[in-house]
C-alpha cells in the first residue's frame, strides 16, 4: 500500500511516501534561510513559501518513490498543531489530491507523528513506553499505552525546550534556528563554566524553561557585548537541558516502572543530548529509541508513517475531516 504524507505545520514543506510501513521517499524543503534574516519564523512568509513549494515537493516525493498519483491508496496530512495559514496549505493540497484520486484523507496529529518517527527503528518501541516530545512549540513527557492512546504525565508551564534554544541563541548572537547553532558552538565550550539550576527539580513531571532562559540572559548582561563567552554559555546551557531531561526521565521511569523511552521532536536531533540520555538510561537498564536524524525535525515521513499505523489499527474507518486545528493537543 502506497501512502502519501504531507507536513506544512511550521517552516518545512515536506512530503513523503510510505509503502508497507517503510519510508520510501522523504522530501523536505526548508524555509530556514528566508526566516533567518527575521530571527525567527514569520507566519505569513511561511504560508507563502509553502504555497510556492508544495506542488514540487509532492511531485518529487512521488518521483523518488517511482510512483504516480494513481498508485496512491491513502493520504495523511498534518491538521494541527501549528501555524494556521501554514497548516491550511498542506491540508488543502491533501484534500484536493484525496478527492481527485478518490482515496481516504487521514488527518494526522503532528505531535503524535513525532512519536511515530521512532517506528523507523528496526526494533520499534513496545507498549507501554515513555515518550519525550521535545520540539520548538512543545515539551511533553507522555505515556504511550497503545497506538493513538497517549497520556500526558507532564509538560512545560512556559517555554518549550526548542524555544529556549532559539531564544538563548539569539541572546548570545548565534541566530536562528538556535538548536543546531548552540550544539555547534558548545563543542568548543566548557560546560561547567556556568552552573544553571535544573528547573522544577523536585516538582515531579513538571517542566519549565523560561527561568533558565532568563538566567542565561542575566549572565550575558554581566559581559560587554564583545566579551560574551558564547561557547561556554552554549555548552553550559545545553548541559543543563540534558541534565534536566535525564533527571525527569529517570524520575518518570522510577515512578512508572516502564523500561523504554522514545525521545523525539526537533530537539532530539541534538547529538550531545541524545548521547547523554542514552548513557544515563543504559546505566539503569532502560532503552532509548531516537529517530534517525532526518526524522527528528519536521518531515513528511513521520506523517505518512503515522497514517500507515492509523490505517492498520482503524481498518475501514475514515475519520471525519473538519479542517485544521492550530491548537490541537497531543491527546485527542
Ligand atoms: O519538531 P521541530 O522541527 O518543529 C516543531 O514541531 O516545533 O522542532 C524545531 C525545534 C527548534 O526550536 C530548533 O531550534 C530545535 O527544534 N532543534 C534543536 C536542534 N535541531 C533543531 N535543538 C537542539 N539541538 C539541535 N541540534
Ligand atoms: Zn515538529
Amino acid at each position: 500500500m502506497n501512502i502519501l504524507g504531507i507536513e506544512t505545520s511550521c517552516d518545512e514543506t515536506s512530503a513523503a511516501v510510505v509503502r508497507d510501513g517503510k519510508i520510501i521517499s522523504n522530501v523536505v524543503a526548508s524555509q530556514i534561510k528566508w526566516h533567518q534574516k527575521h530571527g525567527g519564523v514569520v507566519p505569513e512568509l511561511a504560508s507563502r513559501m509553502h504555497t510556492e513549494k508544495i506542488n514540487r515537493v509532492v511531485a518529487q516525493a512521488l518521483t523518488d518513490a517511482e510512483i504516480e498519483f494513481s498508485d496512491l491508496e491513502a493520504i495523511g496530512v498534518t491538521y494541527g498543531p501549528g501555524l494556521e495559514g501554514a497548516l491550511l496549505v498542506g491540508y488543502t493540497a491533501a484534500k484536493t489530491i484525496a478527492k481527485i484520486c478518490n482515496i481516504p484523507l487521514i488527518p494526522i496529529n503532528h505531535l503524535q507523528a513525532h512519536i511515530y518517527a521512532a517506528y523507523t527503528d528496526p526494533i520499534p518501541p513496545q507498549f507501554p513506553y515513555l515518550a519525550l516530545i521535545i520540539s520548538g512549540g512543545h515539551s511533553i513527557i507522555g505515556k504511550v499505552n497503545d497506538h493513538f492512546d497517549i497520556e500526558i504525565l507532564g509538560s512545560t508551564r512556559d517555554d518549550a525546550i526548542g524555544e529556549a534554544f532559539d531564544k538563548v541563541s539569539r541572546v548570545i548572537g548565534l541566530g536562528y534556528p538556535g538548536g543546531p547553532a548552540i550544539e555547534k558552538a558548545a563543542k568548543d565550550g566548557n560546560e561547567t563554566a556556568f552552573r544553571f539550576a535544573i528547573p522544577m527539580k523536585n516538582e515531579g513531571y513538571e517542566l519549565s524553561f523560561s527561568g533558565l532562559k532568563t538566567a542565561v540572559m542575566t549572565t550575558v548582561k554581566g559581559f560587554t557585548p564583545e566579551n560574551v563567552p558564547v561557547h561556554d554559555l552554549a555548552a553550559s546551557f545545553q548541559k543543563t537541558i540534558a541534565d534536566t531531561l535525564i533527571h525527569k526521565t529517570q524520575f518518570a521511569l522510577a515512578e512508572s516502572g516502564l523500561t523504554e523511552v522514545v525521545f523525539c521532536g526537533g530537539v532530539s536531533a541534538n547529538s550531545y543530548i541524545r548521547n547523554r540520555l542514552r548513557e544515563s538510561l543504559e546505566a539503569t537498564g532502560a532503552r532509548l529509541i531516537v529517530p534517525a536524524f532526518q526524522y527528528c525535525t519536521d518531515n513528511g515521513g513521520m506523517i505518512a508513517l503515522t497514517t500507515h499505523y492509523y490505517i492498520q489499527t482503524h481498518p475501514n474507518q475514515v475519520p471525519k475531516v473538519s479542517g485544521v486545528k492550530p491548537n490541537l493537543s497531543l491527546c485527542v
Side-chain angles (χ1 to χ4, degrees), residues 110 114 135-137 162-163 165-166 178-180 183 265-267 269-270 297-298:
H110 180 89
H114 271 304
S135 68
E163 189 181 356
F165 264 95
D166 294 335
E183 183 177 6
V267 178
N270 184 297
T297 47
D298 293 348

Side-chain angles (χ1 to χ4, degrees), residues 143-166:
K143 182 177 173 214
V144 185
N145 295 312
D146 203 343
H147 284 294
F148 306 98
D149 173 7
I150 310 167
E151 279 168 63
I152 295 181
L153 302 176
S155 60
T156 182
R157 293 182 179 181
D158 38 59
D159 292 358
I161 295 184
E163 189 181 356
F165 264 95
D166 294 335

